Amino acid sequence: MADVKRAGVRALVAAALLMTASFGAQAADKEITLGFSQVGAESAWRTANTESVKSAAPAAGINLKFADAQQKQENQIKAIRSYIAQKVDVIAFSPVVESGWEPILQEAKAAKIPVILTDRNIDVKDTSLYVTMIGSDFLEEGRRGGHWLEEHYKNDKGPINIVELQGTVGSAPANDRHAGLIEVIKDDPKFKIIASQSGDFTLAGGKQVMEAFAKTYGSKINVVYAHNDDMALGAIQAMEEAGMHPGKDPVVVSFDATHGGFQAMVDGKINVDVECSPLLGPQLMQAAKDVVAGKTLPRRIKTEETVFTQADAAKIMPTRKY
Ligand code: AHR
């Protein structure tokens, strides 16, 4: 009789273990829902970034909820709040500006939803409000643009007058590409930034700002330092309409290294394009999976990038993916 009882208990324990194991497998296999708030559709870079995120999600078996914030922080806050209400597993966003994120990220933290930053960084005291930041080092990109100018003008006594087409006011790439340039040229008095204005990372914005710069400063301008390719391309149109010769006089420094930027280098109108990769989708999906699996992620995942010049543009252009 005791044997029969023992066998019964063993069978119950085995059944319970089987059930636990199968629930565990279900939990591990449960489809992850990722709520992603994108900045907008302001540039060719952004279009490539959106495509990268949208195609990486199904490839990784992730259910993606996507919202375009049209370059407005309030829209990003609304989207994040709605992802919290929907109880998504992970929230990711590319913050339009650096400041003002604490309250909404506190809400995500209270709901125990992990947050991943992608592309742009934020300025918060409490760094526990996000798990990791995946993207470029914009400060280093700015330094790279500055170093190229230093080298290009090493035998020139100057003055070298720079006009700067800045990205979206308050955004990480605008702040850091400016700061990186300043860091490099600040001790060399021959370099002077004679004007700086935001073109909001758009082609139309770059064209409009450059039209005004061309009218005010004309042939005094030696360098156009544009924070992205779209603004550089808009500025090139404005300069040509004003009878200037972009790529010769003035020299044009740009960022992103998109197809448009490469074509302008091949055409001799952009001199140097500092790479900024938008292909962040696969890394983002991996990070979302890791965070759900309880793994510890590095606080900062930096993108590998380089600098392209006119000299190698034609050869490299066919290999470019965005
Ligand atoms: O945050 C990345 C920047 O945003 C890219 O340089 C620019 O093209 C985009 O709009």
Side-chain angles (χ1 to χ4, degrees):
M1 193 60 194
D3 281 355
V4 174
K5 259 192 183 165
R6 265 199 296 276
V9 170
R10 272 202 296 271
L12 277 172
V13 170
L17 283 174
L18 206 70
M19 274 171 70
T20 315
S22 88
F23 280 136
Q26 265 177 22
D29 292 347
K30 181 187 162 278
E31 190 183 45
I32 295 169
T33 296
L34 169 70
F36 182 76
S37 168
Q38 178 60 289
V39 167
E42 73 283 5
S43 63
W45 188 101
R46 190 64 54 197
T47 304
N49 180 246
T50 293
E51 274 166 22
S52 175
V53 171
K54 284 190 173 171
S55 61
I62 287 183
N63 172 32
L64 178 71
K65 290 179 184 285
F66 182 92
D68 176 335
Q70 297 175 340
Q71 288 196 277
K72 291 198 174 75
Q73 183 175 35
E74 73 245 36
N75 290 345
Q76 292 204 291
I77 291 172
K78 264 188 216 151
I80 295 171
R81 191 162 285 134
S82 122
Y83 294 144
I84 297 171
Q86 292 170 59
K87 297 187 171 38
V88 300
D89 301 298
V90 182
I91 292 172
F93 74 117
S94 173
V96 60
V97 289
E98 288 194 274
S99 60
W101 297 105
E102 275 95 347
I104 189 67
L105 294 186
Q106 290 289 2
E107 289 177 35
K109 191 177 176 184
K112 297 193 169 41
I113 301 177
V115 172
I116 298 174
L117 302 179
T118 171
D119 162 34
R120 297 182 181 179
N121 219 330
I122 58 174
D123 186 10
V124 282
K125 283 207 180 74
D126 178 0
T127 51
S128 77
L129 292 176
Y130 64 92
V131 179
T132 185
M133 195 275 148
I134 305 170
S136 309
D137 181 341
F138 298 131
L139 190 66
E140 182 54 29
E141 289 177 359
R143 290 185 193 119
R144 287 176 179 166
H147 287 311
W148 185 88
L149 283 172
E150 253 186 346
E151 180 60 24
H152 186 74
Y153 289 108
K154 67 177 180 223
N155 298 321
D156 194 321
K157 287 201 175 66
I160 310 297
N161 294 322
I162 303 170
V163 296
E164 184 184 23
L165 297 170
Q166 293 202 345
T168 302
V169 175
S171 69
N175 291 344
D176 291 353
R177 287 172 186 163
H178 171 78
L181 171 68
I182 298 289
E183 195 186 299
V184 173
I185 63 170
K186 69 177 187 317
D187 297 326
D188 188 342
K190 81 179 173 204
F191 289 109
K192 288 188 175 59
I193 300 184
I194 57 170
S196 267
Q197 204 176 311
S198 172
D200 213 10
F201 283 127
T202 67
L203 189 140
K207 182 164 192 255
Q208 204 184 349
V209 173
M210 194 64 222
E211 279 165 359
F213 284 168
K215 268 197 198 121
T216 312
Y217 304 102
S219 60
K220 278 200 189 122
I221 304 170
N222 304 112
V223 176
V224 175
Y225 182 86
H227 286 193
N228 81 343
D229 283 343
D230 295 73
M231 290 192 296
L233 296 176
I236 288 167
Q237 286 179 18
M239 284 186 271
E240 288 180 334
E241 284 168 22
M244 296 161 87
H245 302 284
K248 292 186 178 64
D249 187 19
V251 153
V252 180
V253 177
S254 186
F255 294 82
D256 286 353
T258 57
H259 279 303
F262 257 85
Q263 188 58 57
M265 281 198 287
V266 172
D267 297 342
K269 296 176 184 182
I270 287 180
N271 299 73
V272 59
D273 211 335
V274 180
E275 186 181 32
C276 176
S277 174
L279 308 177
L280 304 173
Q283 274 172 304
L284 171 60
M285 299 310 147
Q286 190 55 52
K289 282 183 169 180
D290 287 349
V291 80
V292 169
K295 293 188 189 161
T296 306
L297 293 175
R299 289 287 303 161
R300 182 73 172 90
I301 303 173
K302 277 191 197 167
T303 318
E304 296 276 317
E305 287 157 349
T306 186
V307 175
F308 299 106
T309 60
Q310 285 180 357
D312 35 48
K315 199 172 83 201
I316 292 173
M317 193 171 161
T319 68
R320 301 291 295 160
K321 293 198 171 60
Y322 60 93

